[in-house]
Amino acid sequence: MAEVTLTGLTKHYGAARVVDAVSLSIASGEFITLLGPSGCGKTTTLRMIAGLAAPDAGRISLAGADVTGLPAHRRNIGMVFQSHALFPHMSVAENVAFGLRMRGLARGPRAERAQAALERVHLGAFGARLPAQLSGGQQQRVALARALVFDPHVLLLDEPFGALDRKLRELMQDELRDLTRRIGITAVFVTHDQEEAMILSDRVAVMNAGRIEQIDTPEAIFERPATRFVADFMGFGNIFDGHAANGTITAGGLCLRAAPPGPADGAVQVALRAERIALAAADTAGAENAAPGRITAATYHGTLTTYRMAPDNGGPELLVREASAGGTRFAPGARVVASWPAQAVRVLTG
Amino acid sequence: MLSRPATFAMLAPVLLVLILLLVLPVGYLISFSVLARGTGPQTLGAFTMANYGRLFGDTYYLALFGRTLWLSALTTAIAALAGTCFAWFMWQSGRRWRGPLTILILSPLLISIVVTSYGWVVLLGRNGAINTALEALGLISAPLRLIHNDFGIVVGLVHVVIPFMVLCVLAALERIEAVLGEAAMTLGAQPWRVLWHVILPLAMPGVAAGTTIVFCLSLSAYVTPAVLGGSGPNFVTTMIYDLFITQYDWPFGAAVAAVLLATALAIVILYQRLLARLGAEA
């Protein structure tokens, strides 16, 4: 059964339509991420589910009941904010117990359940402290415990790990994934970090300009983007306007064969994954798609090295990403042959 | 960090002003309080504790101290309640109204206290606007006594001190992250419980600072009780004025001033201790 259903959800700020007819059905126990750049409407969508923003049109239902007109405090949702939003004047235990207190639970059972929730996030010994006495990661774990302690219909997370450093963020992502799977809660997560979305989600909804561009499993989104925006956001690196004739796509001077092939004829957009292009100093025999050319730029990133390559036939420049192996392999000006499998070429529909 | 002499140098101007303009004259004045009245109108006699004996031995003076403390406390309580409400309203009202509301709340400070006090006379006097209006409406047959009594003092004092209260509470409210209120709502708190459990406790440091300032201002107010209070000494400050200017009894006036200063200091210190303890418990 769908735990969260959004139907035609729309929101304007002034003349700007920040959320544009978003419809989404989230199954019970599912972890969904709204992924997109800042200003794409993902946070506003989340705030409308929470009841912190009112939609101009559309409906929201939680656990089968229409909650569109219901204020936040009557929706039974748990929410984690980027700034953790712990109450600075209450102890950690009081923070976690707050939702239970608002639900009229007596002091005794309240304290017991808060303690259990704190133990679930490995902070059982920290109940008496004030939030300011905890580290950033600990504060965010308290916020998580506070949002889960009253068994909400759905857990909403608004870029909760945005303020944490990379290492801590990865640790928290693992913990969050384990915890949500273990208790089987439905979760909606908002982020602009595609890697984070991949790691955590059952499904990812990529948002752009207030609309959902594509919604699918992380693998499908990453491997098979439907639109130019999604391909770009997923870091394909090379997106070209091309033309299909007799099943062969040409873009500039490049001849691209795609698998699966796109339409037989007409204008198409194609995306080519930068890290699936191989560079070789000599001709690579037998490659389906290959182009000789010259390196125009090389940038060493550490784990990766990126190259820009201008094909000899005057086609568009190619971006190539490869794992660094002992440093930069080619200097600008070097002659190379770029080749890629047909599976790295994706025909886009929009 | 600055070196120790440099830190002291930063303090020096304020210390100098405090010592020259406050500690020395006030200390000098208070030194009169242990002297007897001289034979001439402004001369001083020998060392004595009689001035303090007279003050603590006479229920008239003690009652006046009691009245002053009570009216100051009442003023503080009313200002705290009204000022907190107003500050909360300003905080909620958003950017567009902030400017006009700030000017509105600061307006008592922009005009001389003498002028605002006589403004209250015009409004609340025997033939003032309020009495005239009430009589015209037939609600009263004889004018109400709205000034030259304690009511007048409290109304006038609240008007003068409320800007300080509002600014203190507003400063505390502005430091509260809006997301805390939202978090409380998502946790199931109705709006009034958000206010009670989250916003008010976090605004408390502002209320504490505001009440301290407002109480001290009320206790030491002179113009308001002089203009709006009843005839004769009605406040410790007006009595001090009377002793110095009308009766030329500087030693006794100094003793009353010293006791007022000590009372104010003692109350502020006790209040700060109480607040610190409440803060530690919360």
Side-chain angles (χ1 to χ4, degrees):
Chain A
M1 190 192 82
E3 191 69 14
V4 182
T5 310
L6 312 181
T7 317
L9 215 55
T10 300
K11 176 79 180 171
H12 297 81
Y13 282 129
R17 186 178 290 208
V18 287
V19 176
D20 187 2
V22 163
S23 295
L24 180 60
S25 187
I26 303 170
S28 186
E30 194 178 19
F31 195 118
I32 286 235
T33 295
L34 305 180
L35 173 67
S38 60
C40 73
K42 58 191 191 299
T43 293
T44 306
T45 304
L46 194 76
R47 288 174 61 82
M48 286 193 283
I49 301 174
L52 297 174
D56 298 327
R59 290 192 310 106
I60 303 163
S61 75
L62 290 181
D66 191 323
V67 300
T68 314
L70 226 52
H73 63 86
R74 290 178 57 196
R75 290 196 183 186
N76 196 34
I77 45 109
M79 185 152 177
V80 179
F81 299 82
Q82 176 169 2
S83 62
H84 61 72
L86 296 179
F87 305 127
H89 58 298
M90 296 181 198
S91 71
V92 164
E94 285 171 329
N95 262 282
V96 175
F98 189 83
L100 301 171
R101 191 174 171 195
M102 293 303 112
R103 283 161 177 76
L105 213 69
R107 194 179 285 267
R110 205 156 82 198
E112 270 170 40
R113 280 178 65 178
Q115 183 59 29
L118 277 173
E119 272 156 22
R120 213 155 51 183
V121 295
H122 318 298
L123 288 174
F126 291 77
R129 298 217 194 162
L130 285 174
Q133 295 167 315
L134 303 184
S135 70
Q138 289 170 334
Q139 287 175 342
Q140 208 49 287
R141 298 216 301 260
V142 174
L144 191 59
R146 182 177 71 170
L148 287 171
V149 71
F150 47 85
D151 299 325
H153 290 317
V154 56
L155 177 66
L156 308 175
L157 305 106
D158 186 9
E159 308 218 20
F161 309 140
L164 305 179
D165 64 59
R166 187 188 176 87
K167 229 178 151 132
L168 189 55
R169 195 160 66 221
E170 286 169 1
L171 182 73
M172 292 295 295
Q173 287 163 355
D174 284 347
E175 275 193 27
L176 176 65
R177 192 181 47 197
D178 292 348
L179 182 62
T180 51
R181 303 282 140 97
R182 201 165 69 235
I183 62 179
I185 190 161
T186 313
V188 186
F189 189 95
V190 158
T191 185
H192 61 266
D193 180 338
Q194 49 118 328
E195 199 182 321
E196 188 166 75
M198 299 290 123
I199 293 169
L200 290 170
S201 318
D202 296 316
R203 280 194 298 160
V204 175
V206 181
M207 289 188 72
N208 176 35
R211 292 174 164 276
I212 294 179
E213 288 261 338
Q214 187 176 358
I215 178 161
D216 214 326
T217 62
E219 206 176 293
I221 294 270
F222 193 77
E223 301 291 338
R224 298 183 291 281
T227 68
R228 186 181 190 120
F229 177 84
V230 177
D232 191 29
F233 204 76
M234 289 297 134
F236 265 65
N238 302 291
I239 301 172
F240 308 120
D241 290 314
H243 190 82
N246 303 320
T248 309
I249 299 163
T250 49
L254 285 177
C255 184
L256 299 160
R257 198 170 325 139
D265 293 288
V268 291
Q269 293 189 13
V270 285
L272 172 55
R273 263 218 168 274
E275 57 269 31
R276 297 195 66 184
I277 302 175
L279 292 177
D283 264 334
T284 310
E288 291 172 278
N289 298 289
R294 187 181 295 279
I295 297 289
T296 57
T299 312
Y300 181 71
H301 294 257
T303 317
L304 295 173
T305 302
T306 60
Y307 299 99
R308 293 201 158 271
M309 192 209 82
D312 288 338
N313 57 17
E317 262 197 357
L318 289 177
L319 178 74
V320 182
R321 267 194 292 260
E322 61 174 36
S324 302
T328 308
R329 284 203 298 148
F330 302 104
R335 291 208 51 79
V336 291
V337 174
S339 62
W340 55 90
Q343 291 82 5
V345 180
R346 179 80 194 154
V347 178
L348 306 173
T349 56
Chain B
M1 280 302 286
L2 291 169
S3 64
R4 200 171 277 266
T7 312
F8 188 75
M10 303 285 273
L11 266 175
V14 172
L15 276 181
L16 207 66
V17 168
L18 277 179
I19 290 170
L20 279 181
L21 298 180
L22 193 71
V23 177
L24 288 181
V26 170
Y28 185 53
L29 183 77
I30 285 172
S31 71
F32 296 172
S33 68
V34 290
L35 301 174
R37 220 174 156 178
T39 44
Q42 283 187 39
T43 55
L44 297 164
F47 174 85
T48 174
M49 290 304 283
N51 294 313
Y52 290 101
R54 180 177 162 200
L55 175 52
F56 288 108
D58 192 331
T59 51
Y60 170 77
Y61 299 117
L62 295 179
L64 194 57
F65 265 92
R67 251 172 69 84
T68 304
L69 289 172
W70 153 244
L71 292 180
S72 297
L74 186 63
T75 300
T76 306
I78 294 170
L81 211 64
T84 303
C85 290
F86 192 89
W88 181 81
F89 180 76
M90 276 181 82
W91 184 56
Q92 289 282 297
S93 63
R95 291 273 154 242
R96 195 145 64 100
W97 291 100
R98 188 62 59 82
L101 287 173
T102 306
I103 292 171
L104 180 69
I105 199 63
L106 286 178
S107 61
L109 301 178
L110 301 176
I111 311 162
S112 157
I113 298 181
V114 178
V115 177
T116 54
S117 298
Y118 279 104
W120 283 112
V121 173
V122 171
L123 203 61
L124 301 178
R126 204 178 152 74
N127 299 311
I130 301 247
N131 273 321
T132 313
L134 290 177
E135 276 180 293
L137 288 170
L139 292 172
I140 53 171
S141 52
L144 296 173
R145 193 175 171 81
L146 298 173
I147 52 167
H148 303 311
N149 58 8
D150 291 351
F151 178 80
I153 294 181
V154 171
V155 168
L157 280 180
V158 167
H159 186 208
V160 172
V161 299
I162 206 157
F164 299 95
M165 194 71 221
V166 171
L167 292 181
C168 283
V169 178
L170 188 61
L173 286 171
E174 303 247 280
R175 283 207 305 270
I176 302 175
E177 294 175 81
V179 72
L180 293 180
E182 293 185 341
M185 281 190 260
T186 64
L187 293 168
Q190 298 94 310
W192 72 265
R193 291 175 107 178
V194 176
L195 189 66
W196 184 252
H197 291 290
V198 179
I199 306 302
L200 273 181
L202 291 173
M204 267 331 205
V207 177
T211 45
T212 307
I213 293 173
V214 158
F215 182 76
C216 291
L217 284 176
S218 302
L219 206 58
S220 59
Y222 169 73
V223 175
T224 308
V227 175
L228 296 172
S231 58
N234 46 42
F235 222 64
V236 172
T237 49
T238 56
M239 180 175 66
I240 294 171
Y241 179 87
D242 191 59
L243 289 170
F244 272 93
I245 305 299
T246 316
Q247 303 184 26
Y248 294 120
D249 192 348
W250 285 38
F252 187 54
V256 176
V259 172
L260 182 62
L261 179 63
T263 310
L265 269 178
I267 290 173
V268 168
I269 289 168
L270 284 175
Y271 187 57
Q272 296 298 327
R273 287 230 177 128
L274 177 74
L275 290 174
R277 185 179 300 174
L278 287 177
E281 273 171 23

